[in-house]
Amino acid sequence: MALKMVKGSIDRMFDKNLQDLVRGIRNHKEDEAKYISQCIDEIKQELKQDNIAVKANAVCKLTYLQMLGYDISWAAFNIIEVMSASKFTFKRIGYLAASQCFHEGTDVIMLTTNQIRKDLSSPSQYDTGVALTGLSCFVTPDLARDLANDIMTLMSHTKPYIRKKAVLIMYKVFLKYPESLRPAFPRLKEKLEDPDPGVQSAAVNVICELARRNPKNYLSLAPLFFKLMTSSTNNWVLIKIIKLFGALTPLEPRLGKKLIEPLTNLIHSTSAMSLLYECVNTVIAVLISLSSGMPNHSASIQLCVQKLRILIEDSDQNLKYLGLLAMSKILRTHPRSVQAHKDLVLQCLDDKDESIRLRALDLLRGMVSKKNLVEIVKKLMSHVDKAEGTTYRDELLTKIIDICSQCNYQHITNFQWYISVLVELTRLEGTRHGHLIAAQMLDVAIRVKAIRKFAVSQMSALLDSAHLVASSTQRNGICEVLYAAAWICGEFSEHLQEPRQTLEAMLRPKVTTLPGHIQAVYVQNVVKLYASILQQKEQAAEPEAAQDVTQLMVDRLPQFVQSADLEVQERASCILQLVKHIQKLQAKDVPVAEEVSALFAGELNPVAPKAQKKVPVPEGLDLDAWINEPPSDSESEDEKPKGIFHDEEQRHAKQRLPEADEEELARRREARKQEQANNPFYIKSSPSPQKRYQDMPGVEHIPVVQIDLSVPLKVPGMPMSDQYVKLEEERRHRQRLEKGRKKKKTKEKGKPRRHGSLHTESDEDITPAQQVDIVTEEMPENALPSDEDDKDPNDPYRALDIDLDRPLADSEKLPVQKHRNVDTSKCADKEDVPVVEKKVKKPKKKEKQHREKEREKTAKGKEKEGEDLDFWLSTTPLPAAAPALVRAWGAASNAIIAAPKEEGEGPRRGEQGDKEDSTQDPEKKSSKHKKKKHKKEKEEKSKDKKKSKKKLPSDEAAEPVENGALDEEPLPPMSSYCLLAENSYIRMTYDIQGSLQKDSQVTVSVVLENQSRSFLKNMELNVLDSLNTKLARPEGSSVHDGVPVPFQLPPGISSEAQFVFTIQSIVMAQKLKGTLSFIAKNDEGSTHEKLDFKLHFSCTSYLVTTPCYSDAFAKLLESGDLSMSSIKVDGISMSFQNLLAKICFHHHFSVVERVDSCASMYSRSIQGHHVCLLMKKGEKSVSVDGKCSDSTLLSNLLEELKATLAKC
Amino acid sequence: MIKAILIFNNHGKPRLSKFYQPYSEDTQQQIIRETFHLVSKRDENVCNFLEGGLLIGGSDNKLIYRHYATLYFVFCVDSSESELGILDLIQVFVETLDKCFENVCELDLIFHVDKVHNILAEMVMGGMVLETNMNEIVTQIDAQNKLEKSEAGLAGAPARAVSAVKSMNLPEIPRNINIGDISIKVPNLPSFK
């Protein structure tokens, strides 16, 4: 044996090792490939030997060859052999090779499962480590499923070295086997607080990766991460957490508010640039998420922009780059604060570093306004001339177009200038973006009617110039522009000054060198041009000239007929025949122009790119249903007797004949016309072709103002956009002078007013050079507002979108692979089997029960967690660290006490102010509520009777009292409706009702009362959903959509709308912010208005009045499942009966029993919590004892009771 | 996530390639070539970030690289990684190599690519950063090397002797291509660990 070993190692001496291989390759520079193939042959020999050392050496060499690009998958089995070697040295070589070349398609990979499991449980930590590392690279769904449990146990290994690797690899396991996420998650969460910083960092890493893809499932971890953030000193961990918060804040704006302060502190204190940068980034994310709700964060924005400016001005190019990157994020929501740094950005455009220039370009996009667009584009154009590399030049080109065309050409005041810029851009050589310029030309020419004349003149110049045709070699090159030019000249040929000249230019022999699709457009548009020339000449009564043109066509068209491109060939031959026919007619002196131009009558309207997709599927149309029954396979068609077809045809014919009388046909035609008129996709024809040039039928309603061009139309040769800069300045100057003389008349024709106050005043002052009507793109009438077209159904991270707060079910336990005990027992004794099974079953049952209980426990725990988050978030911003929590609480309670005093005092620090706002709020509200009640009481009294249906539960509440013969004195009028919000237009009151049928829904009834003299319409209610409470929106709408109110309000009228909310946890009261937007219309015009409100869901609103018999009530109290709490309120003067009625009415209770001044009451929450009250009246005080299946709910309810009683 | 780690020299010869997503060998070579093409034409004093490696992933990805003497160290990462953090990681990586090879040069990487892989495996695992503390990494590497040596024992001796003889016969191996600026710290990141 020993001899064999020595022999083996002596053999080995003469094998090449890795170093020899590398050396050999370096010495065979000329015939490397040959040498390597030799080596591979040697390796194959070595792999055939028994000695594992030789094999390992061979595999090691293969790994090197793999890096050089050689496929080594043929050695996969040998690699597995080496992986299973007992020595660490070889094992490591094997796993390295596997990690480099194994993938999901490697078929032998399934053989590794047991080997890996063995290594994972190896006593040597390095064996385990090497297996984990290797597995992380080639884990497959099967491996992940089989090994998930083993890896999970490793997460609590004694050695941190193993723990951190096991934690990290779990991410890969989750990706491949999403079912493992839920069972493994609790342990992963534990690892966030591991004593070893490496393990902690790994856990943070994994959760951050997970949360980045599906952030909403990880919101509940926010408090934990917050704690880590304020306590950790590891910058890696901090960066990851801060990045994670950046992903979470858009989902929960309250989180953002909480984060701002600690982040700002970090920004001020840290010296690590990477950390500073990530903090700034997350603050930006927070600000973006808050931008709708909280206006007052200008300080934070300023801080960010300031810090970024420092980064950008730094000499380190990396920081400069990142600064610009972050700046562009701010730009999206706070363009103003970035615009102040325009100088800096323009400076960066001159930077020698291309990455930085590109970033600066990005920023520029958001900085343009009407005022500076021309100037900025001028600067960019000068860069285009200077730019050396084509990539950067192309980027510049796309940016110029992007900047100009953004927001529907919002910033362009002079489209002549823009067309000139585009034409100038065509002189770029070697660009790949010819099609982009072409698309812009087409878009502008089609959508801006006023510019067509100018565009056509420019395009004909382009067609005339030779340089474009010459550059036709490159695909997607600049010659694409000719596509647009030809089309525009053809389609709008009536604007051409010299149609004949353009026609000749388009028929030049050189044109045949252009790409096929451009030639095709040429051919088609040549005819349009020809038609318009014919028209002209015939009107001018010049038949010779007309025949001349026809001759030209007949002469030149054959060059296209010979084209290799099918499309060109087909079109050309059709048209050639047509023209020849025309020639014959012309020879007979027949006027043809009208008929020829009828070929191209009608106008093309721009259609929105998504229009087709957005056509709603009409009701009752099932696109997947078979139109005809699918032919069944068994039935061959030959068997069918032919007679059937024959018969059917005849029957159809007979049925149809009598129907088709003249009148019916006419009616149908009319209907079809009507339909076509409403169909955006149907290209309407003008009633008569002659009229086409005078007035177009479909266009009358669009006010096309005759343009009074201040620039001469004929620009000889190539225009220079620069001259427009001067002209534009002059024009503006003139305008300013004019304005000084006389008051500006406000004139808004056809141009929609742009909402939003983004433009500076001076910006608005700049009136466009031409009155421009940008014809909007057409959309189907009731287009679906769906923008979720972009979601990729194959996203691997989608599978990980798993609710982690739901308790674990049995079926979700990770599969635990055991040795094949089952098999052996089966083989051993067949008679024993049933007995064994029975035995096994019994404990299972118990186990199940046990588990169920556990599950309940965890469920409760989870619920609590959910609350915790809400609670944690609602305690308003915390100063820096966790210990400060206590301090904050102290401050909050102080604030409550101090609140009344401080009313009317000057503004205090923002943070404190926030705190007070939230604590004061209920008080304010309740006092308002009280005032309003008096007003409402009277009307409610009359309404109450009518409204019995809507307010069923509250009426019920009154009933038991009355049934109990308690009406000794008249009850005061009561209303459960309280004020929601009010302004000069509208007043909203609301009431919340739950129902026992739907355990997580409540209905909010809102009474809207029009208080103005305007007509209110298009009312839409929207709320900002919280985690716990969500507005039920119609199917298909997103969380940000409002719910329309189904009625309109004439002046003085009120009406009620109902909205359904879904609620998860009901044990705490909640508040939702919301807005009602509407259009108020009166004689002077209509305005868009909105009204903000806060919906307060008290715990009471989750109670549903439920009658209860006294014996059931007693049983409930005896059961001992309920927790207990009590309150006492002094200074009550109201009679006990009124008191009871009030509580029954407002808090949805029913009286079970009443004895003198003592009553027991019962109610039930929508989620089935029992609430029992015992109310006793003393002389001037009332004490209430409550019992409830949820202690939090009870204490909250009692608080609310107390507030009600205190007012009595 | 780190998508790939590449090391190649000034001529584009790969010295190490680690892909954390499966690609065929051909695609891998193509990616290396493309990356080299992108990186090599950049000046010394421009920023270390590059957008738009076309082959490897989409627009979310970035190339973050450093150039040391004759070698380029390129990390391809997605947006969940901090740019400056990765730059630092590259620095840690190179410093660790320097420690493990004692004054590392390109030749060390050429002849001991397996060792480089082992060091990298202690820092990055499956595309996620495992450890950033250099001392910890070096400790683990040393421990593993020790284990390897103890396993080799007697049986390994002849082989070592042979390779020593082989090396002696080859005086042409120069050991003077030191990475000159290896000790240069990442600018502006003093407190990063």
Side-chain angles (χ1 to χ4, degrees), chain A residues 139-153:
Chain A
V139 62
T140 63
D142 285 341
L143 281 177
R145 190 193 56 233
D146 296 339
L147 297 172
N149 201 48
D150 302 69
I151 298 171
M152 221 167 93
T153 41

Side-chain angles (χ1 to χ4, degrees), chain B residues 5-142:
Chain B
I5 296 172
L6 305 173
I7 305 176
F8 43 74
N9 71 359
N10 286 346
H11 306 291
K13 286 254 180 230
R15 294 304 176 217
L16 174 121
S17 68
K18 183 88 205 167
F19 291 88
Y20 294 105
Q21 280 172 343
Y23 290 106
S24 74
E25 272 75 14
D26 288 342
T27 324
Q28 288 185 3
Q29 293 302 310
Q30 223 175 321
I31 290 172
I32 295 174
R33 271 199 300 275
E34 188 200 58
T35 315
F36 169 70
H37 188 70
L38 282 173
V39 166
S40 63
K41 66 177 181 200
R42 289 174 66 83
D43 288 340
E44 268 311 292
N45 47 2
V46 298
C47 73
N48 298 97
F49 314 120
L50 253 180
E51 284 160 77
L54 291 174
L55 280 168
I56 214 168
S59 56
D60 195 31
N61 290 359
K62 259 199 197 96
L63 296 176
I64 299 174
Y65 74 97
R66 269 177 182 276
H67 191 196
Y68 292 97
T70 59
L71 292 174
Y72 284 100
F73 289 73
V74 187
F75 280 46
C76 179
V77 302
D78 68 13
S79 63
S80 72
E81 299 294 339
S82 148
E83 290 89 347
L84 294 173
I86 293 293
L87 269 185
D88 230 54
L89 188 71
I90 300 178
Q91 181 71 27
V92 172
F93 184 31
V94 175
E95 280 180 33
T96 314
L97 288 177
D98 199 40
K99 256 198 179 163
C100 292
F101 286 108
E102 288 161 15
N103 228 347
V104 67
C105 69
E106 191 186 339
L107 284 173
D108 291 318
L109 270 68
I110 294 172
F111 286 103
H112 302 283
V113 66
D114 49 342
K115 284 186 186 158
V116 182
H117 267 297
N118 294 338
I119 293 168
L120 186 61
E122 293 301 321
M123 293 181 64
V124 180
M125 189 175 128
M128 282 183 290
V129 179
L130 179 68
E131 184 59 68
T132 52
N133 182 344
M134 189 164 60
N135 293 330
E136 171 72 17
I137 299 167
V138 174
T139 317
Q140 299 298 348
I141 290 290
D142 284 348

Side-chain angles (χ1 to χ4, degrees), chain A residues 89 126 164 318 321 359, chain B residues 47-48 51 131 140 151 192:
Chain A
T89 319
Y126 291 114
K164 70 181 177 192
N318 290 332
Y321 172 86
R359 283 281 132 238
Chain B
C47 73
N48 298 97
E51 284 160 77
E131 184 59 68
Q140 299 298 348
E151 277 180 355
F192 205 93

Side-chain angles (χ1 to χ4, degrees), chain A residues 963-1150:
Chain A
N963 287 353
L966 288 168
D967 44 352
E968 301 143 45
E969 53 180 311
L971 286 169
M974 284 184 282
S975 161
S976 59
Y977 281 72
C978 51
L979 184 72
L980 186 57
E982 183 175 33
N983 66 8
S984 58
Y985 287 101
I986 197 163
R987 185 186 140 89
M988 301 163 74
T989 49
Y990 78 111
D991 181 29
I992 303 172
Q993 300 287 351
S995 88
L996 280 175
Q997 277 78 44
K998 292 188 176 156
D999 62 357
S1000 57
Q1001 284 192 351
V1002 291
T1003 308
V1004 178
S1005 315
V1006 182
V1007 177
L1008 300 153
E1009 187 186 350
N1010 188 349
Q1011 297 188 318
S1012 69
R1013 264 186 267 156
S1014 313
F1015 187 82
L1016 304 185
K1017 59 177 190 178
N1018 287 18
M1019 286 185 280
E1020 211 176 55
L1021 182 123
N1022 198 5
V1023 295
L1024 212 59
D1025 286 355
S1026 74
L1027 275 183
N1028 195 29
T1029 314
K1030 294 183 171 65
L1031 173 62
R1033 294 175 165 86
E1035 229 167 279
S1037 55
S1038 83
V1039 255
H1040 305 294
D1041 291 339
V1043 176
V1045 177
F1047 48 79
Q1048 306 185 332
L1049 282 183
I1053 302 296
S1054 70
S1055 188
E1056 188 178 84
Q1058 295 193 322
F1059 303 92
V1060 177
F1061 284 78
T1062 54
I1063 286 163
Q1064 274 172 13
S1065 161
I1066 60 156
V1067 295
M1068 299 246 286
Q1070 355 233 322
K1071 265 181 204 164
L1072 287 189
K1073 269 192 199 163
T1075 322
L1076 179 84
S1077 60
F1078 54 91
I1079 293 173
K1081 193 179 163 190
N1082 56 17
D1083 302 338
E1084 285 140 18
S1086 57
T1087 51
H1088 208 93
E1089 298 287 345
K1090 60 184 197 174
L1091 175 59
D1092 291 336
F1093 58 82
K1094 264 189 190 168
L1095 255 180
H1096 183 238
F1097 290 89
S1098 59
C1099 285
T1100 300
S1101 51
Y1102 303 128
L1103 295 186
V1104 180
T1105 323
T1106 325
C1108 185
Y1109 295 107
S1110 52
D1111 45 354
F1113 189 76
K1115 257 186 199 163
L1116 201 62
L1117 288 180
E1118 279 165 19
S1119 69
D1121 285 339
L1122 308 179
S1123 53
M1124 178 169 160
S1125 176
S1126 52
I1127 52 162
K1128 193 171 178 186
V1129 182
D1130 289 321
I1132 287 174
S1133 49
M1134 200 184 267
S1135 74
F1136 188 57
Q1137 194 244 337
N1138 277 356
L1139 221 54
L1140 271 187
K1142 200 160 185 170
I1143 284 179
C1144 285
F1145 182 72
H1146 286 295
H1147 293 273
H1148 308 167
F1149 279 92
S1150 61

